[in-house]
Amino acid sequence: MADDLLPAIPPNFSPGNRQLITDYYVPKNVVDEAVAFKFKVFNRLNARKITFKNVSFEHSVFDGCYLRSCVFDSCNFTGCRFIGSNLHQSSFPGSRFDYATFERCQIDSDILMAWTPAEENLKMRFARSLRMNFQQIGDARAVNEAITLELHATARHLLESWRSEDEFHRKKYPGLRRVRQFLAWVEFWVLHFVWGNGESVPALLRTIAIAMVLIAVYDANALKGSATILDYWESLKDAPAIFLGTLSRPFHTTTAASMIVAARLVALSLLTALLVKRFGRR
């Protein structure tokens, strides 16, 4: 289609202020630069063992850049986007990463622990972006670290979204939306207790153990009506076999037997999904 046939740009739009910088390198340290590195699109920018101190990179894009073993001291990466860049062995003491995203970047996982945003909702999205980045480059250990941080930040964010009285949360979640956030927090907490939201084998084994204790309590009382400690102990020893379906109990009601079968199917399904999810990253 010829350009003169394209629809006119609406008058509401104005030209952007991004500047494209391609195939440059940084030869020396950069200190106290608040303007020159903002709103840029850096293509194949190179820097090695360079220190950037008090430099603002706000809303810049790093595409295919090689920034290895650099120190970004107290830099501002708000709204930045990192694509296919090498940041291996670079450190970011005191830097801000609010709303920053990462795709296919080589970056050390210690960024998750040392330089995350302070706000829980921003920390949650920061960890999520890095989790997807680590999955793209096949770093399974870093993926697990990112998921741990993301789950912790999600739990804190959901809790504060309905309990906190600060202005930000009350304006964002007024009225029924506050109730919805409470229900979302309850759902998150229950799933976290049952199987660590799909990330914890010990949590799932604990849930199965609790199910066996409940089966033992029901089995002992269903057999004799008023169970003794010895009856509970004998039922507890039989609980694993009852749970797995290798020992039948004719005196169990149909409802109880059905609930035990359902619990067994759900537990085995969750265990299979959890193992596939964790080992599938390798």
Side-chain angles (χ1 to χ4, degrees):
M1 182 181 293
D3 291 344
D4 55 353
L5 297 179
L6 293 174
I9 297 176
N12 313 71
F13 292 101
S14 298
N17 56 350
R18 289 187 189 275
Q19 182 180 8
L20 178 62
I21 297 178
T22 303
D23 292 329
Y24 277 77
Y25 75 98
V26 183
K28 59 182 181 181
N29 297 340
V30 183
V31 179
D32 296 331
E33 182 52 72
V35 177
F37 289 79
K38 294 171 64 174
F39 305 110
K40 298 293 187 297
V41 178
F42 297 110
N43 279 336
R44 300 183 294 276
L45 177 69
N46 282 1
R48 189 170 184 272
K49 295 184 178 179
I50 297 295
T51 296
F52 299 85
K53 186 173 183 179
N54 291 325
V55 178
S56 176
F57 295 94
E58 289 177 79
H59 303 283
S60 292
V61 178
F62 297 81
D63 192 352
C65 296
Y66 185 85
L67 303 171
R68 183 173 179 180
S69 303
C70 293
V71 177
F72 296 90
D73 186 356
S74 304
C75 294
N76 190 345
F77 293 98
T78 299
C80 286
R81 186 181 179 193
F82 297 86
I83 307 169
S85 296
N86 190 334
L87 298 158
H88 184 55
Q89 293 185 338
S90 290
S91 59
F92 308 88
S95 295
R96 292 185 59 182
F97 286 93
D98 298 357
Y99 308 103
T101 60
F102 299 83
E103 300 175 29
R104 299 176 285 105
C105 291
Q106 297 290 338
I107 187 169
D108 298 338
S109 62
D110 57 0
I111 190 175
L112 288 164
M113 298 296 111
W115 303 298
T116 58
E119 296 81 1
E120 296 298 340
N121 57 335
L122 298 183
K123 185 184 296 182
M124 176 181 66
R125 292 176 174 82
F126 178 72
R128 185 176 301 159
S129 177
L130 281 170
R131 170 173 60 82
M132 297 174 65
N133 176 82
F134 291 135
Q135 286 175 336
Q136 291 169 341
I137 64 174
D139 191 342
R141 187 179 63 83
V143 170
N144 292 334
E145 293 178 17
I147 288 176
T148 300
L149 178 63
E150 181 183 352
L151 291 177
H152 178 76
T154 301
R156 292 293 308 171
H157 168 64
L158 290 175
L159 177 64
E160 292 177 358
S161 67
W162 68 267
R163 194 176 70 171
S164 176
E165 296 295 341
D166 63 53
E167 184 179 4
F168 170 77
H169 288 102
R170 294 292 55 86
K171 284 187 175 180
K172 187 173 183 180
Y173 304 108
L176 290 178
R177 295 191 65 183
R178 187 172 186 174
V179 177
R180 187 184 304 169
Q181 289 302 112
F182 171 74
L183 296 177
W185 174 77
V186 171
E187 179 185 9
F188 182 91
W189 188 89
V190 170
L191 293 177
H192 187 74
F193 180 83
V194 171
W195 70 323
N197 281 291
E199 298 297 331
S200 177
V201 173
L204 181 57
L205 295 178
R206 177 190 60 196
T207 302
I208 293 175
I210 292 174
M212 290 185 183
V213 170
L214 295 176
I215 290 172
V217 171
Y218 169 76
D219 183 75
N221 286 281
L223 178 63
K224 294 186 176 179
S226 181
T228 63
I229 294 178
L230 182 60
D231 295 329
Y232 286 124
W233 174 243
E234 293 298 327
S235 293
L236 187 61
K237 290 192 292 185
D238 292 336
I242 298 172
F243 178 75
L244 293 174
T246 57
L247 179 63
S248 63
R249 294 296 211 194
F251 51 87
H252 284 186
T253 65
T254 303
T255 301
S258 300
M259 292 178 64
I260 292 173
V261 171
R264 177 170 68 246
L265 294 177
V266 171
L268 294 178
S269 299
L270 293 180
L271 181 61
T272 303
L274 196 154
L275 293 176
V276 170
K277 188 176 180 181
R278 291 191 70 84
F279 289 103
R281 299 179 188 135
R282 305 183 187 281

